[in-house]
Amino acid sequence: MKNAPRIMIFIFAIVGFSTAIYFAWWSMPVSIQATAIKKTLDPEARDEDTLRFCNAFTMTPEDFKTYWRNAKPIFHFEFHDYSFGSCYFSTVENGKEYRIGIGGAGIVSSIQDEDADGESVRYYVRKGAKSDAEWMQEELNRKDASP
């Protein structure tokens, strides 16, 4: 029983260290070259508003790199809280496709094959981005506050 406190301290230290490494990895910026990006429109989205918004959606390779440097990962279930849109900019590097949608959400997907754990798609948003629900609530509050 003398070793029980030491064992508990050791276990907590391992869990704490593992958690710290995970969060350090989780918060690392995505580094890409993005020398050439291309704009893609969903072939099924051909209504006038969508075409107008997509035509107005522009991005330079430098904007693309800046987005990924300032992006934070989100879980799959959180992705549906943000807009991706019908058109996006993308590039392919090191076997991964990087996409940024007109709504501001980003997707990184493996184009070679799925990772060993089956997670070949990861989702991102710009740091400080608001979900669609937060944005709508702010709009409602703004309308209520106006005379």
Side-chain angles (χ1 to χ4, degrees):
M1 283 287 146
K2 285 181 173 182
N3 289 335
R6 288 184 182 168
I7 292 172
M8 292 300 292
I9 289 171
F10 179 74
I11 289 172
F12 282 124
I14 294 293
V15 169
F17 182 71
S18 299
T19 303
I21 288 176
Y22 175 76
F23 281 110
W25 170 80
W26 183 259
S27 62
M28 288 178 61
V30 177
S31 178
I32 61 171
Q33 297 298 315
T35 54
I37 59 174
K38 70 176 185 169
K39 187 178 194 177
T40 304
L41 174 65
D42 182 354
E44 295 178 13
R46 295 292 180 189
D47 63 271
E48 187 177 314
D49 286 339
T50 300
L51 291 173
R52 188 168 36 101
F53 285 128
C54 286
N55 286 334
F57 181 42
T58 61
M59 185 173 281
T60 65
E62 191 57 40
D63 294 335
F64 196 85
K65 288 189 276 190
T66 300
Y67 173 90
W68 287 109
R69 274 194 304 269
N70 296 318
K72 70 172 186 156
I74 58 174
F75 293 105
H76 174 76
F77 65 86
E78 293 177 290
F79 181 71
H80 302 289
D81 293 341
Y82 297 88
S83 294
F84 186 76
S86 300
C87 56
Y88 59 89
F89 281 93
S90 65
T91 191
V92 175
E93 288 184 17
N94 300 322
K96 294 184 187 287
E97 181 180 29
Y98 299 83
R99 298 184 209 165
I100 301 171
I102 190 171
I107 299 173
V108 176
S109 57
S110 175
I111 58 172
Q112 292 174 344
D113 57 358
E114 286 192 5
D115 297 341
D117 60 1
E119 291 185 36
S120 64
V121 178
R122 291 182 177 77
Y123 302 98
Y124 294 81
V125 293
R126 184 175 288 116
K127 290 178 185 167
K130 293 185 167 97
S131 69
D132 292 345
E134 290 172 315
W135 178 82
M136 288 175 18
Q137 186 61 47
E138 282 184 2
E139 287 296 312
L140 289 173
N141 291 343
R142 193 172 306 151
K143 287 179 182 176
D144 290 343
S146 64

